[in-house]
Amino acid sequence: MRSEQEANRAIEQYADTVRRICMVHLKNYTDTEDVFQTVFLKYVQSAIQFESDEHERAWLIRVTINTCKDLLKSFFRSRTLSIDQLIEQAAELPPDNREVLEAVLSLPAKYRDVVYLHYYENYTAPQISRILGKNVNTVYTLLTRSKKMLKEKLGGDEYE
């Protein structure tokens, strides 16, 4: 395991390189930050003795590329859409469907998550409770409240 001084030096020296590689592969700031942390965590935990700064740099670049590729081919990532992708798809929807999706996306996160998992991914409340680590009754409550909020936003009973 490396010292804090070694880690700080490596971060100062290679942070821009790692971030640029991540952005080229991932095109997403949040994923870039996740991979950045993972790469430097691997660096700190690594017992490799580098022959030179160039060897260290090459190792970090290789680990960064591999970590980006792992993230891109992960099961979770292949089965989800980002909110940006949902919004892009919403622009192509008929006006009624677009209005519903925009209303769902405008909900607070705790409601949006359960609505998305229940109505778009077809999970049951017990499954959602396991995924989110919440009590089943809490999930039912969140679904009920989110339906009420959506009804208010969309104006009426036509969306039940």
Side-chain angles (χ1 to χ4, degrees), residues 1-158:
M1 194 147 153
R2 301 188 191 288
S3 70
E4 185 177 344
Q5 293 169 334
E6 287 178 288
N8 289 336
R9 179 201 51 80
I11 290 170
E12 286 178 22
Q13 194 168 351
Y14 302 113
D16 289 340
T17 302
V18 170
R19 278 198 177 99
R20 280 193 298 265
I21 292 168
C22 290
M23 284 302 289
V24 165
H25 281 84
L26 304 172
K27 298 169 185 63
N28 179 319
Y29 179 77
T30 306
D31 290 340
T32 294
E33 289 303 307
D34 288 345
V35 169
F36 179 86
Q37 290 178 9
T38 302
V39 166
F40 283 104
L41 180 62
K42 287 178 182 180
Y43 174 81
V44 168
Q45 294 174 337
S46 169
I48 295 174
Q49 294 299 316
F50 298 109
E51 299 165 8
S52 64
D53 283 349
E54 200 55 40
H55 180 219
E56 182 179 48
R57 183 175 187 269
W59 184 88
L60 282 165
I61 290 171
R62 185 76 260 158
V63 169
T64 302
I65 291 170
N66 289 343
T67 306
C68 288
K69 286 180 179 180
D70 289 345
L71 179 66
L72 289 171
K73 67 183 178 185
S74 72
F75 176 80
F76 175 78
R77 183 150 178 126
S78 67
R79 302 282 187 233
T80 60
L81 293 175
S82 71
I83 290 189
D84 293 336
Q85 290 170 316
L86 280 174
I87 291 169
E88 286 175 19
Q89 289 180 0
E92 300 167 8
L93 293 173
D96 285 347
N97 291 349
R98 186 176 325 125
E99 183 182 1
V100 172
L101 182 58
E102 288 171 358
V104 169
L105 293 174
S106 72
L107 292 172
K110 66 182 180 179
Y111 298 107
R112 184 175 55 233
D113 293 342
V114 295
V115 167
Y116 178 79
L117 290 171
H118 185 69
Y119 291 104
Y120 291 90
E121 297 295 331
N122 297 316
Y123 284 108
T124 63
Q127 291 171 322
I128 295 170
S129 78
R130 285 191 295 278
I131 292 169
L132 299 178
K134 295 183 185 294
N135 185 306
V136 177
N137 289 332
T138 303
V139 172
Y140 283 121
T141 301
L142 292 171
L143 280 169
T144 302
R145 289 178 183 169
S146 61
K147 284 181 195 178
K148 183 179 177 186
M149 284 190 250
L150 287 171
K151 195 174 189 181
E152 290 171 7
K153 287 178 188 265
L154 297 170
D157 297 330
E158 63 187 271

